[in-house]
């Protein structure tokens, strides 16, 4: 198949009612790519030192002044940037200055399907401007804009996320200590037991020797770090109690304490569900599943029809929590309609589809919890905790 390349670019036939600017962010330089009224199809490019907000606003003012000199009108700025390491602080600064700002999911932007496609900040900046133009024209599915959380919403997420980080660090320390002792023939030492210090002093190697001096000192320092992590986990776990108590006042329509009435859902799971997803406003169940990355992704072309699995394009923390909660739901809610349907499907297939079915159960359970938390729709057959 041959591809005919046109020598001249097609002009952008659109009535620009604003100056469209894309911001390519990096630590050292911010590259601005703009398309202004009266400039034809030519996109101008300017660079600003990374983190220089004053220089960015000055550059925006210069773009407006140039557009006014060409057309005699003052046009507003519409900016777009990719969601990434910089978070949302630049977006909030622009909005506070009265500039319309958008944050786009970079994975949702269409790119060339060639094996070796060119990629530079210049090319990405122009692609962002074209994407912003199509989005403002109202073209469907051209990209996915990120809904920036408020500073309060963003800060409340840190409790559950910090706990997960600390838990992973605890596992690392425990495995490190067990590995050091296993190399000496000791396999029955538990660093998480309260008598870990006393037990360490009494340990002997597999060949009957006392622990070497430097090894014992190394394990003692590992225990110091482990105990510090354990104290921090206790402090973090005490915070969700207050968070859940005042959540109804903060969130209004999404009281997470309602989730605690269901058997099998504890405070940690309720806090993660609320902070990572249920506090948001969704239009339908498909949006809920897509946000968690649990939506199916079919592949259909001609006679080819197969399922690729879940998209995994949403919130990974919410998706992981829902998979874990799905297994707990089967244990604590065996009489619910969701659990009975799961058992029936697994029994029908001879027990070979438990893992794919648990993902489907997680998706259905998330939708059911969303309806229950936001609208009070009782989950069919679910057992409630006694008052």
């Amino acid at each position: 198949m041959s591809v005919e390349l046109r020598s001249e670019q097609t002009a952008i036939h659109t009535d620009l009612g604003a100056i469209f600017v894309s911001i390519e962010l990096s630590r050292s330089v911010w590259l601005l790519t703009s398309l202004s009224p009266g400039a034809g199809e030519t996109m101008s490019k300017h660079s600003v030192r990374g983190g220089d907000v004053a220089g960015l606003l000055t550059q925006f003012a210069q773009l407006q002044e140039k557009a006014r000199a060409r057309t005699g009108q003052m046009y507003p700025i519409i900016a777009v940037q990719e969601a990434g390491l910089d978070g949302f602080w630049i977006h909030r600064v622009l909005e506070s200055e009265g500039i319309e700002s958008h944050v786009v999911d970079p994975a949702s932007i269409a790119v060339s399907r060639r094996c070796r496609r060119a990629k530079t900040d210049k090319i990405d900046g122009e692609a962002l401007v074209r994407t912003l133009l199509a989005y403002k024209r109202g073209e469907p599915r051209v990209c996915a804009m990120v809904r920036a959380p408020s500073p309060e919403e963003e800060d409340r997420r840190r409790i559950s996320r910090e706990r997960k980080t600390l838990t992973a660090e605890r596992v690392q320390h425990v495995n490190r200590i067990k590995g050091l002792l296993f190399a000496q023939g000791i396999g029955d030492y538990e660093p998480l037991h309260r008598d870990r210090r006393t037990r360490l002093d009494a340990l002997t190697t597999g060949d009957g020797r006392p622990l070497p001096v430097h090894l014992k000192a190394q394990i003692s320092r590992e225990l110091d770090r482990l105990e510090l992590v354990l104290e921090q986990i206790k402090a973090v776990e005490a915070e969700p109690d207050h968070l859940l108590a005042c959540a109804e006042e903060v969130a209004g329509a999404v009281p997470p304490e309602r989730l605690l009435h269901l058997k099998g859902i504890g405070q940690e799971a309720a806090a993660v569900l609320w902070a990572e997803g249920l506090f948001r406003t969704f239009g339908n169940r498909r949006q809920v599943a897509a946000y968690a990355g649990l939506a199916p992704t079919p592949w259909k072309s001609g006679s080819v029809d197969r399922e690729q699995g879940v998209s995994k394009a949403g919130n990974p923390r919410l998706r992981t929590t829902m998979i874990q909660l799905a297994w707990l739901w089967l244990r604590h809610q065996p009489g619910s309609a969701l659990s009975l349907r799961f058992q029936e499907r697994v029994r029908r297939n001879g027990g070979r589809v438990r893992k794919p079915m648990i993902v489907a159960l997680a998706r259905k359970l998330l939708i059911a919890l969303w309806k229950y938390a936001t609208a009070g729709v009782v989950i069919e057959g679910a057992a409630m905790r006694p008052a």
Side-chain angles (χ1 to χ4, degrees), residues 26-43:
S26 68
R27 293 184 181 273
S28 57
V29 177
W30 291 351
L31 178 63
L32 310 182
T33 305
S34 62
L35 183 63
S36 303
E41 69 273 14
T42 304
M43 296 187 187

Side-chain angles (χ1 to χ4, degrees), residues 98 134 292 336 342 357 368:
S336 66
F342 174 87
M357 282 303 301

Side-chain angles (χ1 to χ4, degrees), residues 75-124:
Y75 290 94
I77 297 284
I78 301 179
V80 65
Q81 67 184 70
E82 293 181 347
L85 183 63
D86 293 271
F88 300 101
W89 73 272
I90 303 173
H91 168 75
R92 297 188 182 110
V93 169
L94 295 180
E95 286 194 331
S96 66
E97 296 292 332
I99 298 174
E100 181 180 347
S101 177
H102 299 276
V103 181
V104 64
D105 178 10
S108 67
I109 301 175
V111 296
S112 172
R113 296 167 60 186
R114 294 180 180 274
C115 181
R116 293 184 178 180
R117 65 179 181 91
K119 185 186 184 307
T120 63
D121 287 344
K122 176 183 176 181
I123 295 175
D124 291 346

Side-chain angles (χ1 to χ4, degrees), residues 24 133 151 203 233 239 338 372:
E24 276 291 313
L133 284 168
L203 287 179
I233 291 177
E239 294 187 25
L338 293 175
Y372 173 71

